[in-house]
Amino acid sequence: MGDRGTVTRILAIFGTVLAWLPILAPIVLAFVALFRVGRFIFDYLMPAELFAIVLLGGALLIGSAVRAQSRRALIICSLVVATVLLFGSQALAVETGLTSGTREPSGIWYALVIAGITIMDLAVVAMGVGGALLVRDLFSPHQPPDL
């Protein structure tokens, strides 16, 4: 394993927190709404809306993973997949008229846009898991295999 110093650990911790924030925020807010309003209102688009935070967290995680020479593939691939799916889904929604309202939110194009956003959310979760594993590796007394 490469560098396990303080800077690498700090990058990994902050990157992991930032990666999980857009995933955990809608869950926490849904439970707040459940107890205050009496309805479970889940905003599955929030990770897309907070994607700048995901990108910052991903950049910190990539920096830490490269320094530590651990979990690089999982973190980089999941961030690339999330980015491609977010921008691809947005482009598809614009091109098909879903964003302007000229097309009703139904049918195959709507399903493809929603599927892209959903898979993007899962890729962000995968990046968060990669960050958590990286933090575990950095604080573990045993040297894990390089993945």
Side-chain angles (χ1 to χ4, degrees):
M1 183 178 231
D3 181 16
R4 295 174 85 177
T6 305
V7 172
T8 305
R9 290 177 177 179
I10 290 172
L11 288 174
I13 291 169
F14 281 121
T16 302
V17 168
L18 290 175
W20 278 106
L21 184 65
I23 297 296
L24 296 178
I27 296 169
V28 169
L29 292 174
F31 280 106
V32 168
L34 177 65
F35 292 118
R36 296 188 103 196
V37 180
R39 291 181 49 209
F40 188 79
I41 305 168
F42 183 75
D43 183 6
Y44 63 91
L45 293 175
M46 194 175 288
E49 295 163 357
L50 299 176
F51 200 72
I53 294 172
V54 171
L55 284 176
L56 179 58
L60 295 175
L61 284 173
I62 289 171
S64 179
V66 167
R67 289 173 60 96
Q69 297 178 359
S70 177
R71 309 289 177 186
R72 293 173 295 210
L74 176 59
I75 292 168
I76 292 170
C77 288
S78 60
L79 182 59
V80 167
V81 167
T83 305
V84 168
L85 285 172
L86 174 66
F87 289 112
S89 295
Q90 287 178 344
L92 182 61
V94 169
E95 287 301 315
T96 59
L98 288 168
T99 56
S100 65
T102 57
R103 181 183 298 264
E104 287 294 317
S106 62
I108 188 70
W109 297 119
Y110 181 70
L112 286 174
V113 169
I114 295 300
I117 295 294
T118 303
I119 297 169
M120 184 271 311
D121 290 346
L122 294 174
V124 173
V125 169
M127 186 178 69
V129 168
L133 292 172
L134 177 61
V135 169
R136 184 195 68 183
D137 294 348
L138 290 171
F139 285 93
S140 172
H142 305 295
Q143 198 169 7
D146 184 25
L147 298 177

